[in-house]
Amino acid sequence: MPVPESGAEPQTAAQTRFDHTLARDQRIEPRDWMPEGYRATLVRQIAQHAHSEIIGMQPEGEWITRAPSLRRKAILFAKVQDEAGHGLYLYSAAETLGADRADLTERLISGRQKYSSIFNYPTLSYADVGVIGWFVDGAAICNQVPLCRSSYGPYARAMVRICKEESFHQRQGYELLLTMMRGSEKQRAQVQDAVDRWWWPSLMMFGPPDGNSPNSERSMAWRIKRHSNDELRQRFVDMTVPQAERLGVTLPDPELVWNEEREVWDFGTPDWSELQRVISGDGPCNQARVERRRQAHEDGAWVREAAAAHAARQQDRQAAQDQQAAQDRQTAQTAQLKGVPA
Ligand code: BYC
């Protein structure tokens, strides 16, 4: 039997090892062999997730200069910075799969890669900042806590820290809303209006219904996703309804009713045609979001060039130092051989 060249073992053995790793619920690491479909699915999902974090800085970021107090400004600033950090961990996770960060950004700004539909809606009042924290970060927790057990090691590890921060963001958003609800009639109306506008788009964050989700089955078999879109949507509804009652707002769904038998909240059907429209680029803010990202990327070109020039200079300096050290060692050795005192 021919000995396979190094790195070129028969695919069947590699596939078996991959399957066993998944069956034992262990992690696939960047050095491990993986099917191309698995790699491509991860790059697609992780890139989309990273883009969502970066684009997700915009709707709330627009309120930094208009925050009602220094304290609220500092909180919002920190949250938006956290989102930039999440984007960076996720781009790094995608790089471990061979993706190129510049290429991913290019795909985002040319519309070839998606980002979450939720960030294509406008933020009309400061209550929207609170509702984004409560709903959007709440939905993110439901969706992303299971991803901490995703089969791909770097993605799962990035999710651990991200989830801790999202959970903090969710509480901070809810605290802002509690404060507004204790305020004036106008503030309470602003909160209810924001809840009315963000509820259905938040349910859409979990993706299309299971029967219309082409990627779910494979992703779940590969243990990238651990639960279906509908399962996670239900968890979000069940978590959020009691919080809405406590806050004193009404969720805009007349079909929301407790199901004694299943012990979950039944809820109405989101407008799936709206999700399709927003995903395909025709949401209220799609153009503005992508244009802003494109502009920021162009404006940042000089920073990337300066960083690359600095890195190249450091590398040259290090190479010169290494060469000098090697020469010094050689001179010392020659001197020792000749019996010349150093
Ligand atoms: N928006 O087969 P499906 C955050 C796409 S960041 C846009 O179910 P999958 C936060 C989907 O990509 C939130 N596109 O797909 C940030 C697929 O398209 P392609 C982002 C959507 O991957 C800042 C097609 O529709 N979270 O929380 O199995 C501040 C069919 O869908 C959407 C993540 O990215 C959508 N809503 O499941 C605060 C989490 N839904 O590529 C908070 C990680 C679906 O086949 N991602 N599509 O053409 C996931 O868990 C999964 O990718 C999804 C979709 C559940 C989103």
Side-chain angles (χ1 to χ4, degrees), residues 237-250:
V237 173
D238 292 342
M239 176 180 93
T240 310
V241 172
Q243 294 171 349
E245 281 170 5
R246 167 93 177 73
L247 191 60
V249 294
T250 311

Side-chain angles (χ1 to χ4, degrees), residues 14 17 20 65 99 126 129 141 146 151 162 235 241 300:
R17 205 160 40 239
H20 280 167
T65 54
Y126 206 73
V129 169
I141 297 164
S151 59
I162 292 177
R235 275 191 201 182
V241 172

Side-chain angles (χ1 to χ4, degrees), residues 158-159 218:
M159 292 319 302
R218 290 286 324 259

Side-chain angles (χ1 to χ4, degrees), residues 102-121:
D103 176 56
L104 296 181
T105 302
E106 190 48 46
R107 283 167 189 264
L108 167 67
I109 57 188
S110 62
R112 282 177 294 147
Q113 265 177 353
K114 299 185 170 78
Y115 59 91
S116 182
S117 51
I118 193 74
F119 301 115
N120 291 307
Y121 292 86

Side-chain angles (χ1 to χ4, degrees), residues 27 93 147-161:
R27 298 270 163 79
L147 293 176
C148 299
R149 293 186 294 116
S150 178
S151 59
Y152 187 58
Y155 189 33
R157 287 190 287 274
M159 292 319 302
V160 173
R161 174 147 177 200

